Amino acid sequence: MTRRLEGKRAIVVGGGQTPGTTTGNGRAVALTFAREGADILVVDRVLESAEETAELVRKEGGTAAAHRADITSEADCAGIMDAALEALGHVDILHNNVGIVPAGRTEDLPVERWRQGFEVNLTGMWLTCKAVLPHMRERGTGTIVNISSMAGLLAGGETIAYSTSKAAVHALTRNLALEYAPHGVRVNCVAPGMMDTPMGVDATARAGGVERAEVAARRAAMVPMGHQGTSWDVANAALFLASEEAAFVTGVVLTVDGGFTLNAVAQ
């Protein structure tokens, strides 16, 4: 490791883990940031899951604390900032990783599910940013990395709510980047593609009642590079955007998809 985040303090929202699944994006980011020198506050809706990630960081010699929050609650998001100041002293990096997939076509999708998708995928992300940005603005420095999806760049009848909410995350990222650039704050976004993660593979297999291996093989066949990515690919992209190597990068949507979106456009 090159210790690219040495001395930095980072909040990783959605840093927990579904038990018994492959490593998800949030946990991979927390571990990668810690390995690169950052102190971490792991935030998750399930405290035990956040604590498990924090303990993994500590076992590797890093510094981490855990905090429970529901990002659809403005009070909980304000509490994230309070907890970060107590545990870390200040905040250099905010990483937003929470998301759900409200599947269904327009005529079949309940309005409650549509609203829930936007509450979690968009409004919750805006609320965490809203809670942390005054601190970053006052310090004159900071970086935010939002996790979106290649779905925000494409269209699909079964994922209209998901795709639309993720496209809105891209717009949120660009607007925050423009608004806070004069204050020394950078805001960027990673848009993963076909990833071998709990949300990408495990949840799809459960929903379809099929074997995990079948889902993984089907997804891999859709990628021009011939295989799915992993949470570590997402974490490495987030690391670049959070680091000083990206000091002149703001407002970008970085696709990490093995060429999937290129293939989709070509078709």
Side-chain angles (χ1 to χ4, degrees), residues 44-60:
D44 201 272
R45 188 168 57 89
V46 179
L47 180 58
E48 293 78 8
S49 184
E51 288 176 335
E52 187 177 80
T53 298
E55 180 59 23
L56 288 173
V57 170
R58 290 191 289 267
K59 283 181 178 178
E60 294 190 1

Side-chain angles (χ1 to χ4, degrees), residues 10-30:
I11 301 171
V12 179
V13 182
Q17 182 68 55
T18 304
T21 59
T22 55
T23 301
N25 293 334
R27 177 165 288 178
V29 167

